[in-house]
Amino acid sequence: MSEIKLTQLSHGGGCGCKIAPALLQEILGVAKEKLPYANLLVGTETSDDAAVYHLNDQQAIIATTDFFMPIVDDPFDFGRIAATNALSDVYAMGGTPIMALAIVGMPISKLPVETIRAILQGGESVCQAAGIPLAGGHSIDSIEPIYGLVAIGIVHPDKLKKNVGAHADDVLILGKGLGIGVLAQALKKGVLSDRGYAQMIATTTQLNTVGSELSGLKDVHALTDVTGFGLLGHLLEMCRGSGLGAELKFDQIPILSEALPLAQQGYGPGAIDRNLASYGHEVDFAPHMENWQRRILADAQTSGGLLVAVAPDAANEVLSCFQRDGFEQAAVIGTMKKGAARVGVN
């Protein structure tokens, strides 16, 4: 729609725009205590996916916001990806979205109205697929294009899932393959194939609706989604909050087929290096692992998969939930274990 490529207007794209974990911690402060509000079930204390506020015995409200700069050049696809990513935080709490608001920042002097409208229409299409209204929002004239959503959801207080509470010996299950950041960089460098682009769009626009179903399973002890901090970063948050360590089996971790050869060639966003610099000292990589294998585990995922910590006896039930919802790559990738909040990778 526009001769100007969206990705050329931004210095970063997708969840790769996130501030690095270590710098974010420095900005927010070292200690994050539970806020003194009795009805606030989830706040800032565990770096969870959304805030949750207790309404009554049957309902708690989930509130989150997520937005970023373009990860693709097609405006409609950009809108779809950003909206899917934002709604994922509601599903990651075990909730169901009920409403969304748009966050829009556009360089008005550089982008045609038709392009901006297509971005918003992409977001609207995802909200329609989720069965919720896009009920309003806010817009500004900005230097770089920015789009995302405020997402509001609901969950039964007893079925709320957090990124903490995992048990030792829990099985770890990942719902989507890794490699979105790798594909995004290849796209920006002009080397991504049509098949690679199609896989990228299919993955990033797949709603994590399975999270709502997982909320009903008591043996699911912890739940989060994998986004800008990479698999290792979000797993470490789960470890710290649960007071446990984790062990990953690299050969069991799903990787997007079109991203694999690109990762082996060294493609990947700058966020990988920022992520590893932030938490690499908390990861024990097996000596035989290659550099690309270490990097893919820190790859910034946009609209990534759900990460589940579940009792071993219920692992097959969780995998069945994923498969019924069309998550063909969902797989057991490791276990939680007693010990310091570190991740080992073999």
Side-chain angles (χ1 to χ4, degrees), residues 168 239 243-245 337-342:
C239 289
L244 297 169
K337 65 177 186 178
K338 292 181 180 179
R342 300 183 63 84

Side-chain angles (χ1 to χ4, degrees), residues 253-294:
I253 297 172
I255 298 174
L256 296 171
S257 59
E258 295 297 319
L260 180 57
L262 292 166
Q264 292 171 332
Q265 295 170 45
Y267 286 95
I272 292 178
D273 296 322
R274 295 193 296 272
N275 285 340
L276 287 174
S278 294
Y279 55 64
H281 62 285
E282 299 175 86
V283 182
D284 300 314
F285 293 106
H288 66 268
M289 290 187 66
E290 298 182 36
N291 189 51
W292 75 266
Q293 294 175 310
R294 297 182 179 92

Side-chain angles (χ1 to χ4, degrees), residues 146-171:
I146 297 170
Y147 181 71
L149 299 179
V150 173
I152 306 297
I154 201 162
V155 67
H156 191 290
D158 295 338
K159 296 181 179 180
L160 170 66
K161 300 299 180 183
K162 305 178 185 180
N163 67 348
V164 301
H167 297 182
D169 298 323
D170 273 355
V171 170

Side-chain angles (χ1 to χ4, degrees), residues 1-2 4-7 9-10 67-84 102-108 110-127 134 138-140 142 144-149 205:
M1 288 187 180
S2 170
I4 299 176
K5 292 185 176 181
L6 289 177
T7 55
L9 294 176
S10 59
F67 52 90
F68 46 62
M69 290 163 281
I71 190 172
V72 295
D73 293 313
D74 183 279
F76 188 78
D77 285 344
F78 170 40
R80 293 169 66 204
I81 294 168
T84 305
I103 299 169
V104 183
M106 295 292 154
I108 301 301
K110 295 180 180 178
L111 289 179
V113 170
E114 293 79 7
T115 299
I116 299 173
R117 184 183 297 124
I119 294 171
L120 272 60
Q121 288 172 339
E124 290 167 0
S125 73
V126 168
C127 289
L134 184 52
H138 184 67
S139 61
I140 62 169
S142 63
E144 296 179 292
I146 297 170
Y147 181 71
L149 299 179
T205 59

Side-chain angles (χ1 to χ4, degrees), residues 30 114 154 173 203 234 317 340:
V30 176
E114 293 79 7
I154 201 162
I173 295 175
T203 301
H234 293 286
E317 185 177 6

